[in-house]
Amino acid sequence: MQAGWQVALLGRREDALRDTASVSPERALVLPTDVSDEQQVAAAFQAVEARFGRLDLLFNNAGRGAPAVDIDELSVDQWRAVVEVNLTGSFLCARAAFGLMKRQTPRGGRIINNGSISAHAPRPGSVAYTSTKHAITGLTKTLALDGRAHDIACGQLDIGNAETELTARFSQGVRQAHGELAVEPVMDVAHAASALLYMAELPLSANVPFLTVMATKMPYIGRG
């Protein structure tokens, strides 16, 4: 919004959406939505089209995790909850966006999926989250291929250790591959936002298929 975009905000927590929208209320459309629900997603994208007339960018950012346990200790319900939001939710939003971008005039647009570092390398005990993020890479590649005929570009932003409420525990120690706890460096979340903005503002004749932005010293590249 601060960069001049008009933004539709989808998520389950209306209070959090309105807090984000308060940065620039005149540019924001708040749409409380469970992205794993087909009907709610369809209604949200109809509202986007009614308000803005078109859609130029979808950022698939909704996600959730599960307890950090071995696969045999993860319930099927916990598995399904992660898959429904991280994968099915991304599919439903991409499906709705793709259809709108195909039929609008001028046609086309851009879809950016949030893959995370887990799209490349798992953390211990992350079978559900990591599986969905690897699947997001397949979604990204398929959309990038199928979108060519319709002037729809698709890329993936993989973020590592951005400093948010979700990474607050990193300062206390995170379980590593060898079993020990270690404090992990984090980066300002603004760097993730600027990376997203760079991808979003490219002309449709250019695309970044995959971009990784991460805390420089996080234990990602190398043996762990």
Side-chain angles (χ1 to χ4, degrees):
M1 289 180 286
Q2 291 174 321
W5 289 74
Q6 296 187 91
V7 178
L9 301 166
L10 280 64
R12 286 177 294 184
R13 295 170 49 208
E14 184 173 357
D15 57 338
L17 298 179
R18 295 202 177 280
D19 182 57
T20 300
S22 66
V23 173
S24 185
E26 70 282 359
R27 292 183 173 274
L29 175 61
V30 172
L31 297 169
T33 306
D34 179 350
V35 297
S36 68
D37 185 297
E38 179 182 355
Q39 300 304 320
Q40 290 188 40
V41 170
F45 278 81
Q46 289 170 3
V48 168
E49 186 174 11
R51 167 74 176 269
F52 301 121
R54 62 178 291 109
L55 177 65
D56 294 301
L57 173 71
L58 166 67
F59 180 39
N60 262 328
N61 189 46
R64 60 166 297 167
V69 296
D70 289 340
I71 188 171
D72 61 305
E73 299 172 22
L74 188 74
S75 72
V76 174
D77 285 344
Q78 289 170 324
W79 164 270
R80 286 178 173 154
V82 175
V83 171
E84 282 296 293
V85 173
N86 296 10
L87 183 55
T88 302
S90 294
F91 161 76
L92 289 174
C93 290
R95 178 174 176 265
F98 199 96
L100 176 51
M101 290 172 179
K102 278 174 65 175
R103 68 174 184 268
Q104 65 192 9
T105 304
R107 73 176 185 180
R110 189 181 305 275
I111 297 170
I112 301 175
N113 296 319
N114 187 346
S116 103
I117 292 292
S118 291
H120 305 278
R123 287 188 180 276
S126 66
V127 63
Y129 186 80
T130 296
S131 295
T132 58
K133 292 304 182 179
H134 274 67
I136 289 297
T137 298
L139 178 66
T140 299
K141 291 180 178 180
T142 302
L143 291 173
L145 177 60
D146 294 347
R148 290 177 187 171
H150 309 289
D151 298 320
I152 299 171
C154 184
Q156 181 171 311
L157 178 60
D158 298 321
I159 302 169
N161 287 18
E163 189 173 12
T164 68
E165 292 178 2
L166 296 176
T167 60
R169 62 189 177 89
F170 287 8
S171 63
Q172 305 300 317
V174 183
R175 185 157 65 99
Q176 304 297 306
H178 60 295
E180 294 183 6
L181 292 179
V183 173
E184 291 192 10
V186 295
M187 66 172 182
D188 192 324
V189 72
H191 299 311
S194 62
L196 173 65
L197 191 61
Y198 162 68
M199 296 173 72
E201 293 189 333
L202 287 172
L204 291 180
S205 58
N207 186 42
V208 176
F210 296 94
L211 189 156
T212 299
V213 57
M214 53 178 271
T216 303
K217 295 183 180 181
M218 70 172 289
Y220 164 54
I221 296 173
R223 296 173 185 249

